[in-house]
Amino acid sequence: MKRRRRAFAAFTGGAVFLVTIAAVVTLTLFAYAFLSERNLSKGGMAAAMFAVVLFLSLACTAIDAVRRKVMVEKPLGKILEATDAIAGGDFSVRLEVSHPYGRYDEFDCIMENLNRMAAELSKTELLHSDFVSNVSHELKTPLAVIRNYASALKGEADGEKREKYAQALIDASGRLTALVVNVLKLSKLENRELPPEKSVVRLDGMLEEAVLAFETEIEKKRLDVECDLEDTEILSAPDYLEIVWNNLLSNAVKFTEPGGKISVSLKKSGERAIVRVADTGCGISPDTGEHIFEKFYQGDTSHAGEGNGLGLALVKRVIDVLGGEISVESEVGKGSAFTVTLYGVKAE
């Protein structure tokens, strides 16, 4: 469509130029024919024709000056004002094109692209502001805990309470560290500063190790864990995959009540590896399900102190970088199931 618009604008401009030149030549010939009938001398004829050519040239220059003022300088002025405003941080600027849709010239196309760019920059600025605001908020909570318990610990003589306060400090500093690490990882992933180094990965073995890493928490909550893992080798990035499994299993353990069940399965389907992590936890409402992959979104506020709302955002970003897919099925009160599809399974 844009090519057709530019072609139409180029054709229109060329046609106008052609008609103008033809009109000037025609008027010059008419003037010559008219003056020839007056039996002027050669010198008089030359002077008269020079006057005619000069007049037509001045007329064309004046017309071209008006054309440039209206068709070039005016839209260029608008574009320069808009770019100055955008460079100054004002992303609300919008330009009104001069021609109807389908008859755009090059300036209209530039204005349309500037409008789109300003709109995207406005969204990015809003997301950046929200991100900074959320990070600041998330940092305040563990810092406040550390400060309060550190103050209490300073004047506490009771050994049992001192141990309790010290543990609270360790937990708060751990949450703070996790937040900073996740923010850095997410930033690097979004800016492509953490390129995936791919190698052949024994996916079933990696999943077994990921489950064993949560053995203490699983035993503490008396959870029943069921694993059904097919032998699978895949060409992928192990460091990236660890982020996915650790976050999905961490959420499964966190949101499943004591005595509940977690199941992890791995199936092969052609070149695809399909991993499913399910639990019998609190589940996710449809409204929450629409936002769970957004940064800092926490659907279950009762567990807000145990996380920072970045885990699933990291998982989604990792899956996008690896070229895979992730989906979730959930029902409130019955649990959730996350399905991850990865490509690059090695043929047996």
Side-chain angles (χ1 to χ4, degrees):
M1 179 60 73
K2 288 184 178 180
R3 288 182 179 177
R4 277 186 281 180
R5 290 186 218 154
R6 289 197 289 268
F8 177 80
F11 173 78
T12 303
V16 170
F17 181 77
L18 178 65
V19 171
T20 302
I21 295 298
V24 169
V25 172
T26 302
L27 288 173
T28 304
L29 291 174
F30 275 134
Y32 179 79
F34 178 77
L35 293 172
S36 296
E37 294 176 357
R38 297 296 183 271
N39 296 319
L40 296 176
S41 64
K42 289 183 179 181
M45 187 69 171
M49 287 304 300
F50 175 76
V52 170
V53 172
L54 180 63
F55 171 77
L56 291 175
S57 298
L58 289 173
C60 288
T61 301
I63 293 171
D64 185 63
V66 173
R67 180 194 67 82
R68 285 182 59 83
K69 185 73 175 178
V70 175
M71 301 180 66
V72 178
E73 294 180 9
K74 187 176 179 180
L76 270 179
K78 290 182 180 179
I79 291 170
L80 287 173
E81 288 179 7
T83 52
D84 284 342
I86 292 172
D90 180 9
F91 305 131
S92 63
V93 62
R94 297 292 184 274
L95 294 172
E96 184 176 351
V97 297
S98 304
H99 301 91
Y101 184 80
R103 296 180 59 187
Y104 284 0
D105 60 15
E106 297 293 338
F107 292 115
D108 292 326
C109 293
I110 294 173
M111 291 179 184
E112 187 182 62
N113 289 339
L114 276 174
N115 288 340
R116 290 171 54 195
M117 182 181 72
E120 290 301 319
L121 286 172
S122 180
K123 292 179 184 177
T124 302
E125 179 67 16
L126 180 61
L127 289 173
H128 178 265
S129 299
D130 287 345
F131 183 77
V132 171
S133 176
N134 284 325
V135 168
S136 300
H137 176 74
E138 293 293 336
L139 285 172
K140 286 178 182 178
T141 303
L143 285 174
V145 172
I146 291 172
R147 181 177 181 179
N148 292 337
Y149 277 101
S151 299
L153 185 64
K154 185 177 180 181
E156 183 58 57
D158 188 309
E160 186 176 341
K161 285 186 177 180
R162 287 178 67 86
E163 185 176 348
K164 178 182 177 182
Y165 294 163
Q167 186 60 49
L169 287 172
I170 292 171
D171 293 342
S173 61
R175 289 198 297 273
L176 188 59
T177 301
L179 172 63
V180 173
V181 169
N182 282 339
V183 168
L184 289 174
K185 283 182 179 178
L186 190 57
S187 175
K188 289 180 178 180
L189 283 171
E190 290 182 337
N191 292 302
R192 299 284 181 165
E193 296 176 6
L194 197 64
E197 296 182 5
K198 294 188 175 183
S199 60
V200 177
V201 180
R202 186 65 184 261
L203 196 53
D204 52 310
M206 174 179 274
L207 286 167
E208 287 176 357
E209 292 178 4
V211 172
L212 288 173
F214 291 91
E215 185 176 10
T216 302
E217 292 88 343
I218 289 170
E219 291 180 353
K220 184 178 179 180
K221 297 183 75 171
R222 306 183 309 280
L223 301 177
D224 178 22
V225 179
E226 180 182 284
C227 293
D228 181 14
L229 309 174
E230 289 188 11
D231 295 343
T232 305
E233 286 189 340
I234 187 172
L235 181 63
S236 191
D239 292 342
Y240 275 46
L241 292 178
E242 283 182 6
I243 296 174
V244 175
W245 313 139
N246 287 342
N247 277 286
L248 291 182
L249 288 168
S250 174
N251 284 344
V253 172
K254 179 169 65 175
F255 292 111
T256 302
E257 297 299 324
K261 180 179 179 180
I262 295 174
S263 61
V264 181
S265 67
L266 167 61
K267 304 292 182 183
K268 290 187 294 186
S269 178
E271 66 171 5
R272 299 181 302 161
I274 302 171
V275 179
R276 189 172 184 270
V277 179
D279 62 66
T280 58
C282 58
I284 304 169
S285 68
D287 291 339
T288 300
E290 296 178 0
H291 303 281
I292 57 172
F293 295 112
E294 296 176 7
K295 287 174 283 192
F296 294 106
Y297 187 83
Q298 292 181 318
D300 183 2
T301 55
S302 65
H303 291 81
E306 301 176 35
N308 48 53
L310 286 177
L312 288 177
L314 265 174
V315 168
K316 181 65 167 66
R317 187 57 185 151
V318 166
I319 297 299
D320 289 343
V321 171
L322 293 178
E325 301 166 9
I326 184 170
S327 61
V328 58
E329 298 175 9
S330 186
E331 187 175 346
V332 175
K334 294 188 176 180
S336 306
F338 287 84
T339 302
V340 175
T341 302
L342 300 170
Y343 297 88
V345 171
K346 302 288 289 184
E348 295 181 358

